[in-house]
Amino acid sequence: MNDSRVWQRFLSGRRLDLANPSPFDFEDTDIALGLSRVARWNGATRGDYAYSVAQHSLDVLAEVRRTTPPARLSVRLELATLLHDACEGLLGMDVITPLKPFLGARWRQLEDGVQRAVHQRYGLPFPLPAAMTRRIKKADRGLAATEAVQLVGLTPAEAADPATFGMPEPPLERSLTPWPAKRAEEEFLAELRRLAAFVR
């Protein structure tokens, strides 16, 4: 391992040290570009474009905004929601659930290390407070069920069946249309910069 390269270089020129990730190892643009080019569901979705993690993150944010009472909707909650999968953009993959047991604890440690560095960069605690995590998870799972039915082709019954997918939330009443990667990148980056300006 000592002789191996353990860093990822980004277009910004920054280098992410996978062994010891730092909040100075990446830029806003690196997260936005990476997430816009990482496909949900391994890319096995309907449409002319992959449904990117960048678009998914924006859709989860929209759901959190829709379902959170105004008195409880803070900029920190919005930013944490937008960045809930940020490590996937920096690591270049969204590991599908069936694959995770094969990767084991070391992969989770790597993801957690990168996600912690993201939170440090944007002034968020890691881990997040339990109430914030629950709100994000509920919206995230609702979007996953919606994606499963609309983009992957499952029936609602298949999506809810514990023997197959077992989605803990029902599909949302909204329509998903995958965007080109460039649009997802630009919209994610604009939202990130807008929210981060209030937190940093």
mmCIF file of all heavy atoms in Angstrom, residues 28-29 31-39 49-59 82 177-192:
data_model
loop_
_atom_site.group_PDB
_atom_site.id
_atom_site.type_symbol
_atom_site.label_atom_id
_atom_site.label_comp_id
_atom_site.label_asym_id
_atom_site.label_seq_id
_atom_site.Cartn_x
_atom_site.Cartn_y
_atom_site.Cartn_z
ATOM 1 N N ASP A 28 -15.683 23.241 -4.956
ATOM 2 C CA ASP A 28 -17.111 23.092 -5.256
ATOM 3 C C ASP A 28 -17.307 22.441 -6.627
ATOM 4 O O ASP A 28 -18.164 21.570 -6.806
ATOM 5 C CB ASP A 28 -17.806 24.456 -5.300
ATOM 6 C CG ASP A 28 -17.736 25.233 -4.000
ATOM 7 O OD1 ASP A 28 -17.328 24.657 -2.978
ATOM 8 O OD2 ASP A 28 -18.104 26.422 -4.025
ATOM 9 N N THR A 29 -16.511 22.888 -7.594
ATOM 10 C CA THR A 29 -16.653 22.404 -8.971
ATOM 11 C C THR A 29 -16.347 20.917 -9.084
ATOM 12 O O THR A 29 -16.926 20.225 -9.937
ATOM 13 C CB THR A 29 -15.730 23.189 -9.906
ATOM 14 O OG1 THR A 29 -14.388 23.169 -9.376
ATOM 15 C CG2 THR A 29 -16.196 24.640 -10.040
ATOM 16 N N ILE A 31 -16.969 18.566 -6.801
ATOM 17 C CA ILE A 31 -18.137 17.827 -6.326
ATOM 18 C C ILE A 31 -19.237 17.862 -7.384
ATOM 19 O O ILE A 31 -19.830 16.816 -7.717
ATOM 20 C CB ILE A 31 -18.665 18.421 -5.003
ATOM 21 C CG1 ILE A 31 -17.603 18.288 -3.893
ATOM 22 C CG2 ILE A 31 -19.962 17.719 -4.588
ATOM 23 C CD1 ILE A 31 -17.999 18.961 -2.594
ATOM 24 N N ALA A 32 -19.516 19.038 -7.932
ATOM 25 C CA ALA A 32 -20.606 19.177 -8.906
ATOM 26 C C ALA A 32 -20.335 18.347 -10.158
ATOM 27 O O ALA A 32 -21.228 17.643 -10.658
ATOM 28 C CB ALA A 32 -20.801 20.644 -9.271
ATOM 29 N N LEU A 33 -19.120 18.416 -10.678
ATOM 30 C CA LEU A 33 -18.783 17.656 -11.878
ATOM 31 C C LEU A 33 -18.875 16.156 -11.608
ATOM 32 O O LEU A 33 -19.483 15.400 -12.383
ATOM 33 C CB LEU A 33 -17.378 18.014 -12.359
ATOM 34 C CG LEU A 33 -16.885 17.236 -13.592
ATOM 35 C CD1 LEU A 33 -17.731 17.571 -14.810
ATOM 36 C CD2 LEU A 33 -15.418 17.516 -13.847
ATOM 37 N N GLY A 34 -18.289 15.718 -10.497
ATOM 38 C CA GLY A 34 -18.310 14.295 -10.176
ATOM 39 C C GLY A 34 -19.716 13.756 -10.019
ATOM 40 O O GLY A 34 -20.067 12.714 -10.599
ATOM 41 N N LEU A 35 -20.551 14.457 -9.252
ATOM 42 C CA LEU A 35 -21.919 13.979 -9.030
ATOM 43 C C LEU A 35 -22.746 13.986 -10.311
ATOM 44 O O LEU A 35 -23.634 13.148 -10.482
ATOM 45 C CB LEU A 35 -22.602 14.832 -7.958
ATOM 46 C CG LEU A 35 -22.114 14.632 -6.521
ATOM 47 C CD1 LEU A 35 -22.815 15.614 -5.589
ATOM 48 C CD2 LEU A 35 -22.344 13.201 -6.052
ATOM 49 N N SER A 36 -22.467 14.924 -11.198
ATOM 50 C CA SER A 36 -23.243 14.992 -12.450
ATOM 51 C C SER A 36 -22.905 13.848 -13.388
ATOM 52 O O SER A 36 -23.676 13.549 -14.309
ATOM 53 C CB SER A 36 -22.986 16.327 -13.154
ATOM 54 O OG SER A 36 -21.696 16.359 -13.749
ATOM 55 N N ARG A 37 -21.766 13.199 -13.152
ATOM 56 C CA ARG A 37 -21.331 12.110 -14.041
ATOM 57 C C ARG A 37 -21.407 10.737 -13.387
ATOM 58 O O ARG A 37 -20.991 9.745 -13.992
ATOM 59 C CB ARG A 37 -19.919 12.396 -14.533
ATOM 60 C CG ARG A 37 -19.868 13.644 -15.403
ATOM 61 C CD ARG A 37 -18.509 13.918 -15.968
ATOM 62 N NE ARG A 37 -18.524 15.106 -16.817
ATOM 63 C CZ ARG A 37 -17.458 15.547 -17.481
ATOM 64 N NH1 ARG A 37 -16.310 14.899 -17.396
ATOM 65 N NH2 ARG A 37 -17.552 16.626 -18.228
ATOM 66 N N VAL A 38 -21.911 10.685 -12.169
ATOM 67 C CA VAL A 38 -22.139 9.403 -11.502
ATOM 68 C C VAL A 38 -23.617 9.072 -11.622
ATOM 69 O O VAL A 38 -24.475 9.876 -11.258
ATOM 70 C CB VAL A 38 -21.715 9.450 -10.018
ATOM 71 C CG1 VAL A 38 -22.140 8.173 -9.296
ATOM 72 C CG2 VAL A 38 -20.209 9.638 -9.907
ATOM 73 N N ALA A 39 -23.914 7.889 -12.144
ATOM 74 C CA ALA A 39 -25.296 7.493 -12.404
ATOM 75 C C ALA A 39 -25.874 6.730 -11.227
ATOM 76 O O ALA A 39 -25.207 5.868 -10.639
ATOM 77 C CB ALA A 39 -25.358 6.623 -13.654
ATOM 78 N N TYR A 49 -30.768 10.017 -20.904
ATOM 79 C CA TYR A 49 -29.620 10.344 -20.057
ATOM 80 C C TYR A 49 -29.690 9.516 -18.781
ATOM 81 O O TYR A 49 -30.769 9.109 -18.333
ATOM 82 C CB TYR A 49 -29.621 11.832 -19.689
ATOM 83 C CG TYR A 49 -29.682 12.757 -20.877
ATOM 84 C CD1 TYR A 49 -30.876 13.366 -21.250
ATOM 85 C CD2 TYR A 49 -28.552 12.999 -21.647
ATOM 86 C CE1 TYR A 49 -30.941 14.208 -22.351
ATOM 87 C CE2 TYR A 49 -28.606 13.839 -22.752
ATOM 88 C CZ TYR A 49 -29.798 14.445 -23.102
ATOM 89 O OH TYR A 49 -29.855 15.266 -24.197
ATOM 90 N N ALA A 50 -28.531 9.296 -18.201
ATOM 91 C CA ALA A 50 -28.494 8.668 -16.878
ATOM 92 C C ALA A 50 -29.083 9.641 -15.858
ATOM 93 O O ALA A 50 -28.955 10.861 -16.012
ATOM 94 C CB ALA A 50 -27.059 8.318 -16.503
ATOM 95 N N TYR A 51 -29.707 9.087 -14.848
ATOM 96 C CA TYR A 51 -30.200 9.915 -13.746
ATOM 97 C C TYR A 51 -29.042 10.074 -12.767
ATOM 98 O O TYR A 51 -28.661 9.139 -12.076
ATOM 99 C CB TYR A 51 -31.399 9.239 -13.083
ATOM 100 C CG TYR A 51 -32.029 10.021 -11.954
ATOM 101 C CD1 TYR A 51 -32.725 11.198 -12.201
ATOM 102 C CD2 TYR A 51 -31.932 9.574 -10.650
ATOM 103 C CE1 TYR A 51 -33.325 11.909 -11.170
ATOM 104 C CE2 TYR A 51 -32.526 10.280 -9.604
ATOM 105 C CZ TYR A 51 -33.212 11.449 -9.873
ATOM 106 O OH TYR A 51 -33.797 12.148 -8.831
ATOM 107 N N SER A 52 -28.466 11.246 -12.750
ATOM 108 C CA SER A 52 -27.222 11.457 -12.008
ATOM 109 C C SER A 52 -27.472 11.654 -10.520
ATOM 110 O O SER A 52 -28.567 12.035 -10.085
ATOM 111 C CB SER A 52 -26.475 12.666 -12.559
ATOM 112 O OG SER A 52 -27.177 13.866 -12.224
ATOM 113 N N VAL A 53 -26.420 11.439 -9.745
ATOM 114 C CA VAL A 53 -26.496 11.684 -8.306
ATOM 115 C C VAL A 53 -26.660 13.181 -8.038
ATOM 116 O O VAL A 53 -27.279 13.568 -7.055
ATOM 117 C CB VAL A 53 -25.269 11.107 -7.580
ATOM 118 C CG1 VAL A 53 -25.349 11.368 -6.075
ATOM 119 C CG2 VAL A 53 -25.149 9.606 -7.837
ATOM 120 N N ALA A 54 -26.153 14.027 -8.927
ATOM 121 C CA ALA A 54 -26.355 15.472 -8.777
ATOM 122 C C ALA A 54 -27.837 15.820 -8.860
ATOM 123 O O ALA A 54 -28.367 16.561 -8.021
ATOM 124 C CB ALA A 54 -25.570 16.239 -9.839
ATOM 125 N N GLN A 55 -28.525 15.279 -9.866
ATOM 126 C CA GLN A 55 -29.961 15.545 -10.003
ATOM 127 C C GLN A 55 -30.723 14.929 -8.842
ATOM 128 O O GLN A 55 -31.644 15.555 -8.293
ATOM 129 C CB GLN A 55 -30.482 15.010 -11.334
ATOM 130 C CG GLN A 55 -31.949 15.355 -11.566
ATOM 131 C CD GLN A 55 -32.470 14.876 -12.905
ATOM 132 O OE1 GLN A 55 -31.720 14.383 -13.747
ATOM 133 N NE2 GLN A 55 -33.767 15.016 -13.116
ATOM 134 N N HIS A 56 -30.359 13.703 -8.460
ATOM 135 C CA HIS A 56 -30.987 13.059 -7.303
ATOM 136 C C HIS A 56 -30.850 13.940 -6.064
ATOM 137 O O HIS A 56 -31.818 14.125 -5.316
ATOM 138 C CB HIS A 56 -30.339 11.700 -7.064
ATOM 139 C CG HIS A 56 -30.601 11.115 -5.719
ATOM 140 N ND1 HIS A 56 -31.750 10.420 -5.402
ATOM 141 C CD2 HIS A 56 -29.842 11.125 -4.584
ATOM 142 C CE1 HIS A 56 -31.695 10.029 -4.134
ATOM 143 N NE2 HIS A 56 -30.561 10.440 -3.621
ATOM 144 N N SER A 57 -29.675 14.501 -5.844
ATOM 145 C CA SER A 57 -29.447 15.336 -4.661
ATOM 146 C C SER A 57 -30.327 16.572 -4.680
ATOM 147 O O SER A 57 -30.875 16.982 -3.640
ATOM 148 C CB SER A 57 -27.971 15.735 -4.583
ATOM 149 O OG SER A 57 -27.141 14.595 -4.471
ATOM 150 N N LEU A 58 -30.480 17.182 -5.844
ATOM 151 C CA LEU A 58 -31.367 18.334 -5.977
ATOM 152 C C LEU A 58 -32.822 17.941 -5.754
ATOM 153 O O LEU A 58 -33.593 18.693 -5.143
ATOM 154 C CB LEU A 58 -31.194 18.970 -7.355
ATOM 155 C CG LEU A 58 -29.874 19.726 -7.575
ATOM 156 C CD1 LEU A 58 -29.610 19.919 -9.062
ATOM 157 C CD2 LEU A 58 -29.883 21.060 -6.839
ATOM 158 N N ASP A 59 -33.204 16.761 -6.222
ATOM 159 C CA ASP A 59 -34.579 16.294 -6.022
ATOM 160 C C ASP A 59 -34.852 15.967 -4.560
ATOM 161 O O ASP A 59 -35.950 16.230 -4.043
ATOM 162 C CB ASP A 59 -34.852 15.073 -6.902
ATOM 163 C CG ASP A 59 -35.030 15.431 -8.371
ATOM 164 O OD1 ASP A 59 -35.338 16.608 -8.669
ATOM 165 O OD2 ASP A 59 -34.852 14.543 -9.220
ATOM 166 N N LEU A 82 -28.355 18.660 0.289
ATOM 167 C CA LEU A 82 -27.727 18.738 -1.030
ATOM 168 C C LEU A 82 -26.447 17.903 -1.084
ATOM 169 O O LEU A 82 -26.143 17.279 -2.100
ATOM 170 C CB LEU A 82 -27.422 20.201 -1.374
ATOM 171 C CG LEU A 82 -26.840 20.439 -2.769
ATOM 172 C CD1 LEU A 82 -27.884 20.149 -3.848
ATOM 173 C CD2 LEU A 82 -26.317 21.863 -2.896
ATOM 174 N N THR A 177 -37.554 13.180 -14.781
ATOM 175 C CA THR A 177 -37.007 13.134 -16.134
ATOM 176 C C THR A 177 -35.519 13.407 -16.048
ATOM 177 O O THR A 177 -35.110 14.519 -15.675
ATOM 178 C CB THR A 177 -37.669 14.191 -17.042
ATOM 179 O OG1 THR A 177 -39.083 13.969 -17.070
ATOM 180 C CG2 THR A 177 -37.110 14.114 -18.459
ATOM 181 N N PRO A 178 -34.672 12.426 -16.339
ATOM 182 C CA PRO A 178 -33.231 12.633 -16.223
ATOM 183 C C PRO A 178 -32.726 13.759 -17.128
ATOM 184 O O PRO A 178 -33.156 13.901 -18.277
ATOM 185 C CB PRO A 178 -32.644 11.275 -16.640
ATOM 186 C CG PRO A 178 -33.722 10.291 -16.315
ATOM 187 C CD PRO A 178 -35.004 11.015 -16.641
ATOM 188 N N TRP A 179 -31.802 14.536 -16.584
ATOM 189 C CA TRP A 179 -31.218 15.674 -17.298
ATOM 190 C C TRP A 179 -29.888 15.288 -17.941
ATOM 191 O O TRP A 179 -29.213 14.363 -17.484
ATOM 192 C CB TRP A 179 -30.922 16.809 -16.328
ATOM 193 C CG TRP A 179 -32.068 17.392 -15.599
ATOM 194 C CD1 TRP A 179 -33.386 17.361 -15.945
ATOM 195 C CD2 TRP A 179 -31.990 18.128 -14.370
ATOM 196 N NE1 TRP A 179 -34.129 18.038 -15.016
ATOM 197 C CE2 TRP A 179 -33.308 18.519 -14.034
ATOM 198 C CE3 TRP A 179 -30.955 18.500 -13.524
ATOM 199 C CZ2 TRP A 179 -33.595 19.260 -12.888
ATOM 200 C CZ3 TRP A 179 -31.228 19.242 -12.387
ATOM 201 C CH2 TRP A 179 -32.539 19.615 -12.068
ATOM 202 N N PRO A 180 -29.452 16.055 -18.932
ATOM 203 C CA PRO A 180 -28.063 15.935 -19.389
ATOM 204 C C PRO A 180 -27.106 16.260 -18.240
ATOM 205 O O PRO A 180 -27.437 17.059 -17.351
ATOM 206 C CB PRO A 180 -27.958 16.987 -20.499
ATOM 207 C CG PRO A 180 -29.357 17.284 -20.903
ATOM 208 C CD PRO A 180 -30.201 17.077 -19.680
ATOM 209 N N ALA A 181 -25.931 15.665 -18.264
ATOM 210 C CA ALA A 181 -24.974 15.850 -17.176
ATOM 211 C C ALA A 181 -24.618 17.322 -16.971
ATOM 212 O O ALA A 181 -24.471 17.783 -15.826
ATOM 213 C CB ALA A 181 -23.713 15.035 -17.452
ATOM 214 N N LYS A 182 -24.508 18.076 -18.043
ATOM 215 C CA LYS A 182 -24.108 19.486 -17.920
ATOM 216 C C LYS A 182 -25.149 20.280 -17.146
ATOM 217 O O LYS A 182 -24.797 21.122 -16.301
ATOM 218 C CB LYS A 182 -23.890 20.099 -19.310
ATOM 219 C CG LYS A 182 -23.233 21.468 -19.263
ATOM 220 C CD LYS A 182 -21.828 21.378 -18.659
ATOM 221 C CE LYS A 182 -21.131 22.730 -18.651
ATOM 222 N NZ LYS A 182 -19.814 22.648 -17.972
ATOM 223 N N ARG A 183 -26.418 20.035 -17.425
ATOM 224 C CA ARG A 183 -27.459 20.747 -16.682
ATOM 225 C C ARG A 183 -27.408 20.376 -15.200
ATOM 226 O O ARG A 183 -27.515 21.247 -14.329
ATOM 227 C CB ARG A 183 -28.842 20.430 -17.253
ATOM 228 C CG ARG A 183 -29.951 21.093 -16.458
ATOM 229 C CD ARG A 183 -31.336 20.757 -16.971
ATOM 230 N NE ARG A 183 -32.360 21.288 -16.074
ATOM 231 C CZ ARG A 183 -33.663 21.075 -16.204
ATOM 232 N NH1 ARG A 183 -34.113 20.355 -17.227
ATOM 233 N NH2 ARG A 183 -34.518 21.575 -15.332
ATOM 234 N N ALA A 184 -27.254 19.084 -14.910
ATOM 235 C CA ALA A 184 -27.179 18.647 -13.517
ATOM 236 C C ALA A 184 -25.993 19.278 -12.812
ATOM 237 O O ALA A 184 -26.097 19.731 -11.669
ATOM 238 C CB ALA A 184 -27.089 17.118 -13.458
ATOM 239 N N GLU A 185 -24.861 19.331 -13.491
ATOM 240 C CA GLU A 185 -23.661 19.953 -12.915
ATOM 241 C C GLU A 185 -23.901 21.423 -12.599
ATOM 242 O O GLU A 185 -23.597 21.903 -11.498
ATOM 243 C CB GLU A 185 -22.497 19.815 -13.889
ATOM 244 C CG GLU A 185 -21.222 20.503 -13.433
ATOM 245 C CD GLU A 185 -20.157 20.566 -14.530
ATOM 246 O OE1 GLU A 185 -20.395 20.054 -15.646
ATOM 247 O OE2 GLU A 185 -19.089 21.158 -14.277
ATOM 248 N N GLU A 186 -24.430 22.154 -13.558
ATOM 249 C CA GLU A 186 -24.618 23.600 -13.382
ATOM 250 C C GLU A 186 -25.638 23.914 -12.304
ATOM 251 O O GLU A 186 -25.434 24.827 -11.490
ATOM 252 C CB GLU A 186 -25.021 24.227 -14.722
ATOM 253 C CG GLU A 186 -23.882 24.226 -15.745
ATOM 254 C CD GLU A 186 -24.312 24.718 -17.113
ATOM 255 O OE1 GLU A 186 -25.542 24.854 -17.342
ATOM 256 O OE2 GLU A 186 -23.429 24.953 -17.962
ATOM 257 N N GLU A 187 -26.749 23.174 -12.277
ATOM 258 C CA GLU A 187 -27.784 23.460 -11.280
ATOM 259 C C GLU A 187 -27.320 23.070 -9.883
ATOM 260 O O GLU A 187 -27.600 23.773 -8.906
ATOM 261 C CB GLU A 187 -29.088 22.761 -11.664
ATOM 262 C CG GLU A 187 -29.674 23.310 -12.954
ATOM 263 C CD GLU A 187 -31.191 23.153 -13.053
ATOM 264 O OE1 GLU A 187 -31.850 22.901 -12.027
ATOM 265 O OE2 GLU A 187 -31.706 23.321 -14.183
ATOM 266 N N PHE A 188 -26.598 21.960 -9.772
ATOM 267 C CA PHE A 188 -26.068 21.563 -8.472
ATOM 268 C C PHE A 188 -25.059 22.606 -7.983
ATOM 269 O O PHE A 188 -25.099 23.029 -6.822
ATOM 270 C CB PHE A 188 -25.396 20.189 -8.556
ATOM 271 C CG PHE A 188 -24.865 19.700 -7.235
ATOM 272 C CD1 PHE A 188 -25.623 18.859 -6.432
ATOM 273 C CD2 PHE A 188 -23.612 20.095 -6.772
ATOM 274 C CE1 PHE A 188 -25.146 18.424 -5.203
ATOM 275 C CE2 PHE A 188 -23.124 19.674 -5.550
ATOM 276 C CZ PHE A 188 -23.894 18.831 -4.765
ATOM 277 N N LEU A 189 -24.158 23.026 -8.845
ATOM 278 C CA LEU A 189 -23.129 23.988 -8.450
ATOM 279 C C LEU A 189 -23.739 25.315 -8.024
ATOM 280 O O LEU A 189 -23.321 25.906 -7.018
ATOM 281 C CB LEU A 189 -22.151 24.199 -9.610
ATOM 282 C CG LEU A 189 -20.971 25.140 -9.327
ATOM 283 C CD1 LEU A 189 -20.121 24.625 -8.174
ATOM 284 C CD2 LEU A 189 -20.113 25.293 -10.589
ATOM 285 N N ALA A 190 -24.731 25.785 -8.752
ATOM 286 C CA ALA A 190 -25.388 27.050 -8.393
ATOM 287 C C ALA A 190 -26.044 26.946 -7.024
ATOM 288 O O ALA A 190 -25.934 27.866 -6.194
ATOM 289 C CB ALA A 190 -26.414 27.423 -9.461
ATOM 290 N N GLU A 191 -26.735 25.837 -6.754
ATOM 291 C CA GLU A 191 -27.389 25.651 -5.454
ATOM 292 C C GLU A 191 -26.360 25.519 -4.344
ATOM 293 O O GLU A 191 -26.520 26.089 -3.255
ATOM 294 C CB GLU A 191 -28.273 24.409 -5.506
ATOM 295 C CG GLU A 191 -29.205 24.258 -4.322
ATOM 296 C CD GLU A 191 -30.294 25.324 -4.264
ATOM 297 O OE1 GLU A 191 -31.186 25.325 -5.111
ATOM 298 O OE2 GLU A 191 -30.226 26.173 -3.338
ATOM 299 N N LEU A 192 -25.283 24.790 -4.592
ATOM 300 C CA LEU A 192 -24.230 24.635 -3.583
ATOM 301 C C LEU A 192 -23.622 25.982 -3.220
ATOM 302 O O LEU A 192 -23.452 26.306 -2.037
ATOM 303 C CB LEU A 192 -23.156 23.685 -4.113
ATOM 304 C CG LEU A 192 -21.912 23.508 -3.228
ATOM 305 C CD1 LEU A 192 -22.280 22.990 -1.842
ATOM 306 C CD2 LEU A 192 -20.907 22.570 -3.903
#
